[in-house]
Every structure is written in C-alpha cells, then in structure tokens.
Amino acid sequence: MASKGRGSDESTSIYRIPPYYYIHILDQNTNVTSVEVGPKTYIRQDNEKVVFGPQQMITIPPRHYCVIENPVSIDAEGKVIFDENGQAKLKHADLEIRLAQDPFPLYPGETLKKPKTPLQVVPANSALRLRALLDFTSDAKKDYVAGDEWLFEGPGTYIPRKEVEVVETIRAVIIKPNQAIKLRARKETLDRESNPRVTGEEWVVKKTGAYLPGAYEEVVEIVDAYVLTDKVALHMRATRTFNDEKLKKTRKNGEEWLISLEDTETHIPNVYEEVVDVVNITTLNNRQYCIICDPVGADGKPQLGQKKLVKGEKSFFLQPGERFEKGTQNVYVLGEDEGLILKTTEEFMDGKEKRAPGDRWMIRGPREYVPPVEVEVTSHRKAIPLDANEGVYVRNIKTGQVRAVVGQTYMLDQDEELWAKELPPVVEDLLAQGKDPLADRSERGSKGASKARDKTKVVVFRVPHNAAVQIYDYKDKKARVNFGPDLVMLLPDEQFTVLSISGGKPKRPNVIKALCLLLGPDFCTDIVVVETADHARLSLQLSYNWHFAHEAKDGARLFSVPDFIGDACKAIASRIRGAVASVKFDDFHKNSAKIIRASVFGLDEKNKVREKFTFPANGLNITSVDIQSVEPVDQRTRDALQKSVQLAIEITTASQEASAKHEADRLEQEARGRLERQKIQDEAASEKARRELLQLQAESAAVESTGQAKAEAQSRAEAARIEGEAAVQQAQLKAEASNIEAASELKRLTAARDAETKYIKDQNELEINKTQELAHIESAKFKHMVDAIGPNTIQSIATAGPEMQVKLLKSLGLQSTLITDGKSPINLFNTAEGLISTSAVARKRRSSFTSEMSDE
C-alpha cells in the first residue's frame, strides 16, 4: 500500500485507497485535478500524478461544524458542478459552514479554514450578541442589513452562518429584591416592554428576577434600594425636571427634597435624581435645644436669613437647606454661684422689657435658661471663691479702672472682666522658682520646673524670716518695705524692687537677682589682688561676715544702696591694697592676718583692732575677715617661693636620711654580736649530743651480740601461741556466723511466706468484693433498664424484626418465599441457567456496539 500524505513517490503506480480515504490525481495532459475516493485500488497512468493523499476524509460528528474556504458549487440536488474540462467549480473567496454529515473529501482548491468544532450551546439566562457582516434573509424570512445586531437567546444551540459574527456573550443580570439596574440605550431601540428608547437615554428596571439586556442596551450599574427607617431619611436632588410617579409630584431641575418612612419604606433612585446624603434623625431630650438656620416654612420653601428655636423633647429631620447654628445644645442649668452674660443681636421684648441690639445684661441662678434666637450667650460666669490670702484683679470695661478683690467669694458682672497683671521677666522667673537666690547659694541659677502663673490672680510673695521686700506704687509714687516673715500681695499698680547684687569670685556686678533683702548675719567671699612694697603681687581669697544693724531697719535706708555686696567688697579691697602696699613681702607673709584686719577694721585709741566696720549709708556691718588663701600672682615670685620650699624639704630629708643610716649601723652591730654568741652555743650543744650518741651505739652492740638467740626463741614461741589462739578464735567465729546466717534465712523465709499468704488472701477478698459489686451493679442496671423501657416496649422490640420482614415481603408482592439458614441444601440449577443466559445476551450486545463504534 502506498504511503499516506502529500507528495507520494512517483515510482509508485498502484494506490490502494482504504475506505473513507481519498487522493487528488493531476492529469498532466489536461492539467485537471480529480478526486478518487476509496475503498478502491487505483492504478496511476503515466500522464497522471498523485498530488495529494491518500488522506482521510473529514468527519463531522453530531453537534459539530467546520468551515470550508473556497467551497465547490453544488446544484439543487446537492451534486458537485464540474466545468467542461471536468474541473470542480469553486466559490472563490467564499466560506461554507458544514454541519454533521457523512464523511466527505476536499476537492482541489478547497481549504479547511476551521476544523471540526463543537456547536456553541447557549444556556438559559444567556444570549449571544450577533452582528451581520453581509445583507441576508434569515430562515425566519427576516431581512438583515450589514451592521445590524440582534440577540440569540438561550437555552439553545447556535448554528453559525457565514454572514454573521458573534460579538460577545451576554449573561442576564439578576435583580434581587430591593435592587434595580440602570440601563442606557446605545442606539434607537425598543426595550423589553416595547417602549421606544433614543440613543443615550437611561432608564431603570426594578422587576425582580433575571433581566437579559437587549442588543442595543448596556448595563450602567446595579442600584441598591435605600431602606428607610424611623431614624433615617434621604436627601434627594433632581438632576432634570421629571414626574415623580411614586410620590405623584413634578420635580424641577435642581430641586431638593426629603424622603422619609412616611413616604416609602424603600426607595430606589430614579435616573433623574441623586442621593445627596443620608440624613439621620435629630432627637432632643427635655434638657436640650437647637437653633435651625434658614428653616423651611409651611409652604415647603426655605426662609433664608431666619432662625428657628426647637426645644426638646422632640425628634425631627433636617429639611434640605436647613442647618444647625451650633448643633444640639444643652439647656443652661445655673446654680446659686453661676450666671450668664447675654447680648442682644436684634431687638425683641424680654418679658415686659424691651431689649435693643447690643444690650448686655447678666442673669443669675438658680434657674434654667434657654436663650431665644435674638440673644447670644457671650460667657458663662461662676463665682470665684477666694481665701483671706487670695485675690483677683478685676477691670471695669466701661471705666477702665482696675482693682484687687481679696478674701471674698466674688462673681464678675456684665461690665467687669479679669485683668492680667504683667510682671518683668526677671520677677516672673524669681516667682516661678519659689525661693530667693540669696536664701540658698547652692541652688543659684537653677530653675526648676514650675507651672505658669495665673496672671489674673493677685501676686502673692512670702517674705522669709529676717528679710525685707520693697514694693513701689507707680500710681501714688510711693514705696513701702515689708519685713519678714510676712505675706505680700501686690495691688494693680505696684511692682517689686528687684535687687541686682554682685556675685562670683572675684565679684562681678549683676550676677544675683533677688526680690528680698536678707538682713544677715551672712558671709561673702572675694578675691583681691594686692602688691607689696617690694612689688610682689599676691592673690588673696577673703571671706567677710556681715549683717545689717538693727537701727538700719527703717526701710528706705536698707534699699538706698542697690548693690551693697559689690560696694562693700570694693571698699574693703581698697583698704587692703593700701595697707599691703606699705609693707614688704616677708613682713606680710608673717603678719598677713594682723595687717588685713587692721586695714579693714582700723585701730582704736588703744592701738587695738576694732570689732566691726560699718557702712553708714545702709547700716551694713562687716564683723570679721577670714584669709582663705594667699597665692603669688607673679610667676617668678611663685617659682622662687617654690624653690625655697623645695630647699627646706631637701635639708629636712637629708637630716632624716643621716639619722636613719646611723641607727641602721647600730642595729647591724648588735645583730652581728648576737649571731656570734648563738653560733658558740650551738657548737657546744652539738658536741654534747655526739657524746650521747656514741654511748648508745656501744650499748646497742652489746645487746645485739648477747640477746639475738634469746630473742629468736621467744619470738618463735610467741608466734606459735598466737597462731593457735587465732585458729581457735577463727573456728568459733565461723560457727557463730553459720548460726546467724541460718537463723536470718529462716526468719526471712517465714516473713516472706506470711506476707505472700496475706497478699493472696487480700487479693482474693478484693476480687470477691469486686465480683459481688459488679453483679449487684449489673442487676440493678438491668432492673432499671427494664423498669424504664417497660414490658410492652420490650415485647414490641422483640417482635419488630419479624413483623417488619412480613410487611416488607407484602409490599414487594412476593407470592412465595424461601428462607433458609444456609445448612439445608437447595436446588439452584435453574436459577444459575437463567443468570448465565442473561449474562450471555449482555455480552453479545456489548460486542455488537463495540464493532459499530470501530466502523465509525
């Protein structure tokens, strides 16, 4: 048999074509290609050439199709049309769709453009959107023009046509309860309800179920219904003038309205309306109120520029265009120590009193108050409780007068306000620290964390003991001094006098800021540089004790010198420099304390140093001067002083070294004499020990020569005696050990047998008790089960099986039955013959079905 496929070998002349196979034969004389179909044996002529095949025919199974390009022309009887040369006529550039049929060959020129393909099954609630490629008339005598679109709706099997293309598969949209779909027309068409729709028109379909859009319809969106309750409403706006069929109203373009539960339970927005917002209900209790701006009147139109007061208890929805002025507000509940400052925004009658715009007045508690729409609450006042040492600054807004209210409970009226008293930053810092810098030098300059001062409260300062504070009144232009311990309260026009005192070492001005002046006793330290008569510059660190005289505590005199520390240190330093300049370094070094004290305090009539140095301007007394250190300022002087100190140290060191060496030599001589004496004593003791050793050696030799035999005899006798005694003792111990072992073994066996006997007895008793208890439990359980079920129920259970079998046999309609226990023999040959015949028939049917399928 010739090989299958294209381009067969030209040397082959005989072609055996199997069934459902074909070949293409080219007659080279006429240049005509013909088709030969099997089963047959074809003998190729010399002028013929096999150009294609053998090839299997195309088989289209049921519910399949294929597409043939350039198909052959057929006549009314379905036969292929040939021209005068015997060549099959083709429909060039045309397509033919062939459905299930007998296997067919492809004629020369035909092309299988699309192989066998299953037909498309369109399920229910689905459709194919089709478009006409050519003008044609359908089987239903309906004319289509190229470009027309329509739907093939399921369920069904779509049979393709060459004039039609499938654009897309459309699935139905499921419209659930409280849902709708918004559709848009792509072209003029009729909807499902035969309503004409123009291009771009939108409409809503609310019918529950599956909706299949038409060919010229598209789904814009799925719209969910808004569920309205007694607490929720919808704020709607019209995007175009339309008739609201549900509420039977005409809505203008841009109109806004409210839909609540009174209108409908659910609402699906129309295509010409949009949901602006979901409005929640506003509920006011009996202690609340609200003011609505631009309220809607009885005609349903907003009253622009007006206000409406609504008091609780009440529930309502805000209409479109309405808004709250300040939201939901609580009713003002005033106590006995509370009040409200009210201001009129427009003229109205307050009871019998006429209020003009801008009027201010105050109402006091106890009472409840709801302000009308014409009244504005400017502030809420509460009485300020003040202790005897507390106060506030109050300013009258009409006259501008400021006063301090101290030690009473006070409520500001409508013409008063709290006034903030400003203090210099230095005073603010000192008050915030809560201490005076002069009181604790270890914490100077440290600023601890403290809360800000309330500027409306009266400034209070506690003057410490043995201190003074000066306060100046700028209004009366007077100053007052308060001595501690005292509590100072500043009036509105008063300020503290801030002391700026020198500090540091050496003293520098404006280092310490203080509000109070300590009266002492206290001390201060300063460094003074002086120069002696021989031009030696020295740095002196001096400490002064000071205090203010009692007769100076008249106030103005204390604060007459602002920087009393700096002035005092300068005056003392000047005196010391003058005194030191007249003496030489050696004299000053020997008598420094006397020279400095005499220069500071001066000498009396008896040429003795006075006890204090007084400043008459402010009564400051310097009581003592302490020299803490004296250091040369000049480096050469310092080096010379250091060399003299080093030389004195070296001389002292050499003296100590010589005395130590002499003492060491003396100790060495004494030790050497003691060593010689000890050596002589050791040699004498050694000779004595040697003599004793020689005596002992002689005695041992005599004993060795005479007593060796005696010692040997005694040792043998002693050894024999010891050996005999040991043997006797060993036999006795062995006998005792055997007796002990036998007794212990007997005792152990006896105890083991007794324990085993007791164990077996206890185990048997436990087993008996367990068996008795189980038997008792089982009997009780069975008795309870029988009592619980009852004799009638047990009888029904016992007879249920046979009765059910009888009923089952009756329901099956069996006339006779055979029941066996499997032990008695039964003749089942006839039954086997029936089974064998049935299986043979089934096998025969299967073999015939298999052969038919192989032929296909």
Side-chain angles (χ1 to χ4, degrees):
M1 181 177 178
S3 60
K4 297 180 181 180
R6 297 179 182 272
S8 299
D9 190 1
E10 294 183 0
S11 61
T12 304
S13 300
I14 299 175
Y15 288 84
R16 292 178 177 84
I17 305 174
Y20 300 111
Y21 278 76
Y22 69 97
I23 60 174
H24 289 177
I25 305 298
L26 174 64
D27 190 345
Q28 295 180 354
N29 293 335
T30 61
N31 204 22
V32 173
T33 304
S34 60
V35 178
E36 295 293 337
V37 180
K40 67 186 300 185
T41 299
Y42 181 76
I43 301 174
R44 182 179 62 83
Q45 303 297 325
D46 292 340
N47 62 337
E48 291 180 341
K49 179 181 180 181
V50 176
V51 296
F52 183 79
Q55 180 68 31
Q56 188 177 5
M57 294 183 182
I58 298 174
T59 303
I60 307 299
R63 303 190 63 79
H64 286 69
Y65 74 98
C66 71
V67 179
I68 304 298
E69 188 177 8
N70 303 324
V72 296
S73 300
I74 57 176
D75 55 11
E77 297 179 357
K79 295 182 179 180
V80 178
I81 300 176
F82 295 93
D83 58 6
E84 62 274 7
N85 297 322
Q87 182 76 37
K89 290 186 176 181
L90 301 177
K91 299 177 183 179
H92 293 283
D94 198 0
L95 299 175
E96 181 181 351
I97 295 176
R98 297 179 183 178
L99 301 175
Q101 54 183 293
D102 294 337
F104 61 89
L106 288 179
Y107 284 86
E110 289 184 334
T111 305
L112 182 63
K113 185 174 183 180
K114 189 173 185 179
K116 63 178 180 180
T117 304
L119 293 174
Q120 187 172 1
V121 178
V122 182
N125 294 330
S126 296
L128 298 178
R129 187 157 66 90
L130 308 177
R131 181 186 294 129
L133 300 176
L134 302 172
D135 298 345
F136 74 100
T137 301
S138 66
D139 298 338
K141 306 299 181 182
K142 186 175 180 180
D143 296 331
Y144 290 97
V145 182
D148 285 349
E149 294 184 0
W150 68 98
L151 296 181
F152 178 80
E153 300 182 9
T157 302
Y158 173 68
I159 307 299
R161 297 178 61 102
K162 66 179 181 179
E163 302 91 353
V164 180
E165 69 170 345
V166 178
V167 179
E168 63 175 344
T169 301
I170 301 175
R171 298 190 182 276
V173 180
I174 307 300
I175 304 176
K176 300 178 182 179
N178 293 329
Q179 271 190 349
I181 58 172
K182 184 186 290 186
L183 302 174
R184 182 187 295 122
R186 298 190 296 111
K187 188 178 177 181
E188 290 81 1
T189 184
L190 296 176
D191 61 7
R192 294 288 182 181
E193 298 179 357
S194 300
N195 296 322
R197 303 291 182 182
V198 298
T199 303
E201 182 181 357
E202 294 182 354
W203 68 98
V204 174
V205 177
K206 301 180 181 179
K207 185 177 179 181
T208 303
Y211 182 83
L212 189 63
Y216 296 111
E217 297 175 1
E218 62 177 353
V219 178
V220 179
E221 62 177 343
I222 298 177
V223 182
D224 292 327
Y226 289 90
V227 179
L228 303 178
T229 63
D230 55 350
K231 296 182 180 180
V232 176
L234 292 180
H235 180 189
M236 310 297 296
R237 180 189 294 129
T239 59
R240 178 178 166 184
T241 302
F242 71 99
N243 292 325
D244 192 348
E245 298 178 356
K246 190 172 185 179
L247 301 179
K248 298 180 180 180
K249 291 183 181 180
T250 300
R251 304 292 185 184
K252 302 293 184 181
N253 187 9
E255 180 182 354
E256 297 183 359
W257 68 97
L258 201 69
I259 299 178
S260 62
L261 184 62
E262 297 177 356
D263 302 323
T264 180
E265 292 183 355
T266 59
H267 180 70
I268 298 176
N270 198 355
V271 293
Y272 303 122
E273 62 183 9
E274 62 178 353
V275 178
V276 179
D277 194 9
V278 177
V279 182
N280 295 320
I281 195 170
T282 302
T283 303
L284 302 177
N285 57 28
N286 58 355
R287 316 297 297 171
Q288 291 178 331
Y289 74 96
C290 66
I291 296 177
I292 301 176
C293 300
D294 304 331
V296 175
D299 56 352
K301 296 181 180 180
Q303 302 174 359
L304 301 178
Q306 297 188 12
K307 297 181 179 180
K308 178 182 178 182
L309 177 64
V310 180
K311 299 180 182 179
E313 300 175 351
K314 192 172 184 180
S315 297
F316 61 93
F317 292 102
L318 275 183
Q319 297 294 326
E322 294 181 343
R323 58 184 176 84
F324 288 121
E325 184 179 36
K326 294 182 181 179
T328 302
Q329 304 180 62
N330 295 324
V331 175
Y332 289 96
V333 180
L334 304 178
E336 294 181 357
D337 58 343
E338 293 179 310
L340 293 177
I341 305 300
L342 307 178
K343 182 180 179 181
T344 307
T345 57
E346 57 182 282
E347 184 178 347
F348 80 106
M349 292 298 296
D350 185 9
K352 297 181 180 181
E353 186 177 357
K354 184 178 181 181
R355 301 286 185 183
D359 285 353
R360 287 169 58 93
W361 73 99
M362 181 177 183
I363 61 172
R364 298 175 180 269
R367 63 178 296 180
E368 294 181 0
Y369 184 73
V370 178
V373 294
E374 301 87 1
V375 176
E376 177 185 357
V377 179
T378 59
S379 62
H380 178 213
R381 295 288 172 83
K382 191 172 183 179
I384 304 173
L386 300 174
D387 194 8
N389 296 328
E390 293 180 331
V392 291
Y393 297 112
V394 180
R395 179 176 179 269
N396 193 303
I397 60 177
K398 288 186 176 180
T399 63
Q401 183 181 1
V402 181
R403 60 192 180 93
V405 179
V406 180
Q408 59 176 327
T409 300
Y410 186 76
M411 181 185 296
L412 302 176
D413 60 15
Q414 67 273 10
D415 296 327
E416 293 179 340
E417 65 178 359
L418 292 176
W419 179 74
K421 181 177 179 60
E422 297 292 339
L423 295 175
V426 176
V427 178
E428 291 282 3
D429 294 341
L430 294 175
L431 291 177
Q433 291 176 10
K435 63 179 182 299
D436 190 85
L438 287 178
D440 189 358
R441 291 180 175 80
S442 62
E443 299 183 4
R444 287 181 183 176
S446 63
K447 295 182 179 180
S450 60
K451 62 181 181 180
R453 178 181 66 90
D454 187 357
K455 297 183 179 181
T456 60
K457 290 188 177 181
V458 172
V459 179
V460 178
F461 183 74
R462 291 174 175 81
V463 183
H465 177 70
N466 199 22
V469 174
Q470 186 181 40
I471 299 171
Y472 186 79
D473 191 341
Y474 286 90
K475 184 177 181 182
D476 297 337
K477 297 182 180 180
K478 293 182 181 179
R480 61 187 176 95
V481 178
N482 291 61
F483 293 93
D486 192 8
L487 184 68
V488 177
M489 304 180 72
L490 291 187
L491 296 179
D493 299 317
E494 291 181 340
Q495 292 288 347
F496 288 106
T497 299
V498 181
L499 299 176
S500 182
I501 304 173
S502 298
K505 292 184 292 185
K507 287 292 182 283
R508 290 175 288 107
N510 302 324
V511 174
I512 300 175
K513 303 292 184 180
L515 295 180
C516 61
L517 176 63
L518 297 180
L519 302 180
D522 204 343
F523 70 94
C524 63
T525 305
D526 192 12
I527 296 177
V528 180
V529 178
V530 297
E531 186 175 356
T532 61
D534 51 359
H535 305 290
R537 292 174 57 83
L538 302 176
S539 176
L540 308 180
Q541 182 170 340
L542 306 176
S543 179
Y544 315 124
N545 286 346
W546 60 266
H547 70 274
F548 286 96
H550 293 285
E551 59 272 11
K553 295 183 180 180
D554 56 356
R557 185 181 176 189
L558 287 174
F559 291 90
S560 61
V561 181
D563 188 5
F564 67 95
I565 294 293
D567 293 348
C569 290
K570 288 179 182 178
I572 295 173
S574 177
R575 290 193 172 198
I576 293 174
R577 289 192 189 97
V580 174
S582 61
V583 298
K584 295 184 178 181
F585 174 73
D586 292 337
D587 296 338
F588 177 75
H589 188 67
K590 296 176 182 179
N591 304 312
S592 58
K594 184 178 180 181
I595 294 172
I596 291 175
R597 287 179 57 83
S599 64
V600 173
F601 298 112
L603 301 176
D604 57 7
E605 296 80 4
K606 298 180 181 180
N607 204 18
K608 290 184 178 181
V609 179
R610 291 189 177 93
E611 294 181 355
K612 61 181 179 178
F613 173 43
T614 303
F615 292 88
N618 57 356
L620 178 64
N621 293 329
I622 306 298
T623 58
S624 66
V625 178
D626 181 22
I627 305 173
Q628 295 181 348
S629 64
V630 178
E631 295 181 359
V633 177
D634 190 5
Q635 185 64 33
R636 290 180 299 175
T637 306
R638 188 178 301 171
D639 293 342
L641 183 60
Q642 186 175 4
K643 286 181 180 179
S644 63
V645 173
Q646 289 180 353
L647 184 58
I649 293 173
E650 289 178 358
I651 294 171
T652 305
T653 304
S655 174
Q656 292 177 354
E657 184 179 356
S659 61
K661 186 177 181 181
H662 178 70
E663 183 67 19
D665 292 340
R666 184 181 64 81
L667 294 177
E668 183 179 359
Q669 292 295 331
E670 291 180 355
R672 189 175 297 171
R674 286 195 299 269
L675 179 61
E676 292 295 335
R677 188 168 52 251
Q678 185 66 36
K679 187 184 294 184
I680 295 171
Q681 293 176 358
D682 292 341
E683 288 179 356
S686 175
E687 290 295 332
K688 184 179 181 180
R690 185 177 179 185
R691 181 176 59 83
E692 294 176 354
L693 176 62
L694 293 175
Q695 291 178 357
L696 292 175
Q697 286 178 352
E699 291 178 358
S700 63
V703 171
E704 182 180 359
S705 60
T706 59
Q708 183 175 1
K710 183 180 180 179
E712 290 178 358
Q714 290 178 354
S715 61
R716 284 195 297 269
E718 187 68 19
R721 184 183 62 80
I722 293 171
E723 185 176 356
E725 292 177 356
V728 173
Q729 189 176 3
Q730 184 178 4
Q732 292 176 354
L733 293 175
K734 285 183 179 180
E736 291 177 0
S738 299
N739 294 332
I740 293 171
E741 287 179 359
S744 61
E745 182 66 19
L746 178 61
K747 186 176 182 181
R748 185 185 67 78
L749 291 175
T750 303
R753 296 294 185 271
D754 294 342
E756 184 177 3
T757 304
K758 184 178 180 182
Y759 170 74
I760 294 172
K761 181 179 180 181
D762 294 343
Q763 190 174 10
N764 294 335
E765 290 178 356
L766 289 174
E767 188 68 26
I768 293 170
N769 293 334
K770 178 180 177 183
T771 305
Q772 291 176 355
E773 292 294 333
L774 289 176
H776 180 69
I777 291 170
E778 289 294 330
S779 62
K781 176 181 177 183
F782 183 75
K783 183 176 181 304
H784 292 164
M785 290 173 61
V786 171
D787 294 342
I789 296 173
N792 296 329
T793 306
I794 294 173
Q795 182 180 359
S796 301
I797 293 172
T799 58
E803 290 179 357
M804 184 179 66
Q805 294 176 359
V806 171
K807 291 180 181 179
L808 180 62
L809 293 176
K810 288 182 180 181
S811 64
L812 294 174
L814 299 177
Q815 298 297 326
S816 62
T817 58
L818 177 62
I819 300 172
T820 178
D821 55 357
K823 297 179 180 180
S824 302
I826 300 174
N827 187 3
L828 298 177
F829 288 103
N830 295 331
T831 303
E833 291 176 359
L835 294 174
I836 292 170
S837 62
T838 302
S839 62
V841 171
R843 284 196 302 272
K844 185 177 181 180
R845 290 179 179 176
R846 284 197 299 271
S847 62
S848 62
F849 178 77
T850 304
S851 62
E852 289 176 0
M853 292 301 294
S854 63
D855 294 337
E856 291 181 0

